[in-house]
Amino acid sequence: MNQFLRRVLCGIALIVAAVGTTGCQHESQAEQEEVRTVSYRAVMESNKPVPEKVNTWLGAMSREDKVGQLMMISLHGNTLGGQSQKDVIRKYRVSGVMLTNENIHNKNQVKAFNNDIMQTAMTASMVTPYIAVNRDKVLRTNDSFLRLPEPNRLGQLPMERIINLATRSAIEMHDMGFNLVIGPNANLGVPNVSYTSDPTWAGYMDLAMAERYQINQMWFGYNYFPAVTLGGDASFNTADEAKNYLNNNDVAVFKRLIAQTTANTYMLVMSHIQIPAIDNQHLASASKPVIQDWLRKDLGYDGIVMTDRIDVGALQANQKIGDYAVASVVAGSDLILVDADTVHIDEVHRALTQAVANGTITNERLNEAVKRILSMKMQAQIQQ
């Protein structure tokens, strides 16, 4: 009898457990269905102000969705025909894709490539992806693009000519399916990078070019904060000395751009320079004193901070690429640029996911970064 009762009790326990599990499965499915009922298109087409749209969509995003929005990746090849490339975009639900010279063959090919990226990314994350190019780095031997002068020669042209070239370039990029250009450059006196050594002329040029990008529905990224180089004879004993020097040079340009450029139409790209007087342990792209204290608090910038290629920063810092990506986000970066190496992409994604799960990247920091990204992407005038 005792054995019979034990069997009956065990049977009841199994039934209760099965019902409980089924209930949990139904609850999970119901939750998923509830999320799916929030349509990105419906949110975008609503009459709500952008901050409300951002909060609505943020509330519908999973942790995986949010982590994906922290990553801008590159891809190999010049088509998205391979399933493996589409799987990378789908698996990681990335915020965007940066095309490089490897991806650019001719205008029709680029247009088809970008269209495939847009469609694949939209089905993966539901959010408009950045499709980016660093215009100053496009090879001038590539006849697919309008041939622009070298940066230092561009800076020597009259403003009317600069505006003409910026307009034609913006129209061309938009027609090929790009929605983000890395540039204009705000650095001074750097060979093959800078337009000029004059901070006043650099600010004037950059604002004129940025206006043409805005008019032609392109987001853009001023680069590289706070500088690319300090010059051979620059040395500082204190943080104030270093800041005062740069506030009269490269940062003077950034100050003007931040003050006079419409919010949420642009981002700032961090360099991997180290300024020991300000932070003797971290490069600028992973430095709280540079990003949080100087850029955000002192200069009042509250937009997206994107890194330059994170593998380069990790190499300079002698860190694993995933660890460096996490350190950069913790320090205040919102968007991590990853090269086309799928091992690197996976390592960065795993590190960010783990850091969010264990609290190294807090939910507050994660949501802050994603909100900035959504606030730009939900500007209706630049939707694809």
Side-chain angles (χ1 to χ4, degrees), residues 19 68 76 112 266 297 332 362:
V19 170
H76 288 305
Y266 73 104
K297 292 179 182 177
T362 64

Side-chain angles (χ1 to χ4, degrees), residues 190-205:
V190 182
N192 304 315
V193 173
S194 302
Y195 305 135
T196 178
S197 297
D198 179 359
T200 301
W201 181 242
Y204 189 32
M205 271 188 68

